[in-house]
Amino acid sequence: MDALLTAMVSVFTPVNLCGLAAGTIAGILIGAMPGLSVNMGIALLFPMTFAFSGVGGILMLLGVYCGAIYGGSISAILLKTPGTPASAATTLDGYPMAVTLKQPGRALGLSTFASLSGGIFSSLCLIILSPQLAKLALQFSKAEYFALAIFGISIITSVSSGSVLKGLIGGILGLFIATIGVDALTGKLRFTGGSVYLMGGISFVPVLIGLFAFSQVLASIEDFYGKPYEKHNVSIKRVFPMVEDLKRVAVTIIRSACIGTFIGCVPGTGGDIASFISYDQAKRWSKYKENFGNGEPEGICAPEAGNNAVSGGAMIPMLTLGIPGDGATAIMMGAFMVQGLQPGPLLFTEHASSVYQIFIGLLLANVVMGIFGFSLIRLFVKVINVPKEILLSIVCVLTFVGSYSYNNSINDVFIMVFFGFLGYFLNKFQFSMSAIVIGIILGGMAETNFRGALIMSGGHMDIFIKSPICAAFLIISIFSLLSPLYIPLLKKLKRQS
């Protein structure tokens, strides 16, 4: 109880509330801009977390996370261009309602309400389920933690567009980056090339900004170069949903929130998967199947409740097991580690107050997102008219400033630019940046616990088989790595039968 009261006092300080609100607004703006993504927004604002004490910076990133997922629906509804991949399914009914039925305010209102409901539902699930799962994970030894890290690394195939080879290459690159610097156990230098800078390893923040932000700037410049500027005039009269609409979509929102939370808990999935599955199930169970695709309210609420519910679900494995649920939580996990908080079961015992602050912060971020969504929709709509030349220039400057401000080192800027160009070309070949980040984050955890387990067992490898939990994780990891190969085959056999 003392930890809970301390957390509430900390979260509701003016500085942390302002940071949370600013992060939420920034997230909505980033999500509403086509070409920018949730991951890019979190990576771009990552360096600003160092201006806060305690978990204040993490609260700001939670605001960005929640706001950006919701913000993607604004451009999806008004322009038929999803601001984030998670909002792709929203275009199917959101755009027809806004344009064909000429009810953009109604569409945005339904989207905001569904996003708020899905986010709050998943936050409550996080608060209820995380402590129970953490108690179970407290029984883990180094062998179990190694197997858990391998399982986390195995999800790289799921975040890599189904390509096992590309996922493995990205993960191996991340693992290699994680080994650069001084060996924590022996003190030997590894892959430093005689560089004093690399003795401390490659800084995580510049790599993050380069892979997710600067590479996206380069890609956006290529996409929008030479294209004429188009201004969109949108008139919005009403933003809060009518009672009739709320009654119509209530069951759909609850069902989609459950789907989104569950999918968020499964490492390697994400909001795009949750939104399409939620949309499919809404259409399957709806009384108005024939209206889907023509501006059906359930078709707007289902994907938005589903993709926003992923946020709380994805935080569950990240906080309790140290396994990121998606690319965004992989970056969030890096923020935790930079702030001296190691995600995992010990986080709940050693930093109970910080955990409660995160619980309260995520719940509050969704509430703030809903308040801003309903009150500032007319303002957020104007974001889609910002010329890309101005937008990309601002983002580009922020990438350089953020990289330099981390250590006040020009070397970090060079690292950011290098990984920015690397990310640009890897994106061209459809490699996943999330796979690289997961490799960097979990590589050290896997190596340390593997060597620690061998020391405990006197060098005997059977320690990883004797433990049922360890063996189970390793078996699941194999299935996870091979899932892109056998899942399409099972679907094909099912269609034939």
Side-chain angles (χ1 to χ4, degrees):
M1 184 60 68
D2 291 339
L4 178 59
L5 293 176
T6 303
M8 293 184 68
V9 171
S10 178
V11 170
F12 287 96
T13 57
V15 174
N16 286 343
L17 284 177
C18 289
L20 180 67
T24 304
I25 292 177
I28 295 174
L29 296 178
I30 290 170
M33 299 175 189
L36 306 187
S37 65
V38 178
N39 295 353
M40 177 182 177
I42 297 176
L44 195 62
L45 298 179
F46 193 111
M48 296 185 182
T49 60
F50 302 111
F52 296 85
S53 61
V55 298
I58 296 176
L59 296 179
M60 183 192 72
L61 293 183
L62 289 175
V64 176
Y65 188 20
C66 297
I69 296 176
Y70 157 68
S73 66
I74 296 177
S75 54
I77 290 172
L78 300 179
L79 302 180
K80 204 178 182 179
T81 305
T84 61
S87 298
T90 310
T91 62
L92 300 177
D93 282 276
Y95 186 74
M97 179 179 286
V99 177
T100 306
L101 302 182
K102 301 186 184 302
Q103 298 174 338
R106 181 189 179 195
L108 289 172
L110 287 169
S111 167
T112 304
F113 183 81
S115 299
L116 172 63
S117 302
I120 290 178
F121 179 87
S122 68
S123 299
L124 294 176
C125 289
L126 171 67
I127 295 171
I128 296 171
L129 298 178
S130 291
Q132 309 307 319
L133 187 58
K135 289 179 181 178
L136 174 63
L138 281 173
Q139 303 175 14
F140 286 18
S141 66
K142 288 188 176 297
E144 282 80 13
Y145 274 117
F146 165 72
L148 186 62
I150 293 299
F151 170 63
I153 294 172
S154 72
I155 71 174
I156 57 180
T157 57
S158 301
V159 298
S160 304
S161 304
S163 173
V164 177
L165 180 60
K166 292 177 181 178
L168 289 175
I169 292 174
I172 291 171
L173 177 59
L175 292 173
F176 170 73
I177 295 172
T179 62
I180 296 175
V182 179
D183 188 334
L185 292 179
T186 65
K188 292 184 178 180
L189 300 179
R190 303 188 298 188
F191 309 112
T192 60
S195 170
V196 177
Y197 170 77
L198 292 179
M199 288 177 62
I202 294 181
S203 299
F204 177 72
V205 174
V207 172
L208 205 62
I209 295 175
L211 289 175
F212 285 100
F214 191 65
S215 64
Q216 188 63 51
V217 169
L218 297 176
S220 297
I221 291 174
E222 179 185 26
D223 290 339
F224 296 111
Y225 180 77
K227 292 184 179 180
Y229 167 64
E230 297 181 10
K231 188 171 183 179
H232 306 273
N233 296 314
V234 180
S235 176
I236 296 178
K237 298 178 181 178
R238 178 191 178 97
V239 294
F240 199 82
M242 297 178 290
V243 176
E244 293 79 4
D245 282 338
L246 294 180
K247 291 180 179 178
R248 183 166 176 170
V249 302
V251 176
T252 298
I253 289 176
I254 295 173
R255 183 195 309 114
S256 300
C258 294
I259 292 173
T261 303
F262 173 76
I263 290 177
C265 292
V266 180
T269 54
D272 48 348
I273 297 175
S275 62
F276 277 104
I277 292 179
S278 298
Y279 184 87
D280 175 72
Q281 291 301 309
K283 185 176 181 179
R284 186 184 302 272
W285 294 96
S286 177
K287 299 178 181 178
Y288 311 95
K289 296 182 178 64
E290 66 282 357
N291 290 343
F292 276 73
N294 299 309
E296 169 58 37
E298 291 182 67
I300 297 174
C301 292
E304 285 305 303
N307 61 33
N308 280 270
V310 166
S311 59
M315 294 286 287
I316 294 176
M318 193 269 280
L319 286 177
T320 58
L321 303 175
I323 301 297
D326 57 10
T329 49
I331 304 173
M332 292 285 294
M333 186 172 172
F336 277 69
M337 297 170 69
V338 171
Q339 295 292 338
L341 301 173
Q342 177 62 54
L346 292 179
L347 183 66
F348 287 76
T349 56
E350 297 176 353
H351 302 280
S353 177
S354 297
V355 172
Y356 284 123
Q357 289 178 54
I358 294 164
F359 287 167
I360 298 171
L362 184 63
L363 186 62
L364 191 59
N366 282 286
V367 173
V368 172
M369 177 266 290
I371 294 173
F372 285 144
F374 284 120
S375 58
L376 300 178
I377 280 181
R378 292 178 176 84
L379 176 62
F380 291 144
V381 165
K382 299 183 183 298
V383 172
I384 61 179
N385 287 326
V386 177
K388 294 298 182 294
E389 296 84 355
I390 297 176
L391 173 63
L392 294 177
S393 298
I394 294 173
V395 173
C396 188
V397 170
L398 288 176
T399 60
F400 282 86
V401 172
S403 300
Y404 181 80
S405 63
Y406 177 55
N407 282 323
N408 293 328
S409 172
I410 192 64
N411 290 321
D412 285 343
V413 177
F414 294 147
I415 291 292
M416 183 276 293
V417 173
F418 171 79
F419 278 96
F421 278 99
L422 177 65
Y424 169 77
F425 287 108
L426 289 178
N427 275 321
K428 285 285 186 182
F429 293 99
Q430 297 182 335
F431 283 83
S432 171
M433 299 303 99
S434 298
I436 300 176
V437 173
I438 290 172
I440 295 174
I441 292 176
L442 297 180
M445 176 182 173
E447 180 188 11
T448 302
N449 286 288
F450 176 73
R451 295 164 73 176
L454 289 179
I455 292 173
M456 290 171 56
S457 65
H460 298 292
M461 293 290 292
D462 59 355
I463 188 175
F464 302 110
I465 303 175
K466 288 182 178 179
S467 169
I469 298 177
C470 185
F473 271 121
L474 292 176
I475 293 173
I476 295 173
S477 300
I478 296 174
F479 279 100
S480 178
L481 277 171
L482 300 178
S483 61
L485 295 178
Y486 66 78
I487 288 180
L489 179 61
L490 292 176
K491 290 181 178 179
K492 183 177 179 180
L493 293 175
K494 184 178 180 180
R495 286 196 299 267
Q496 291 177 351
S497 61

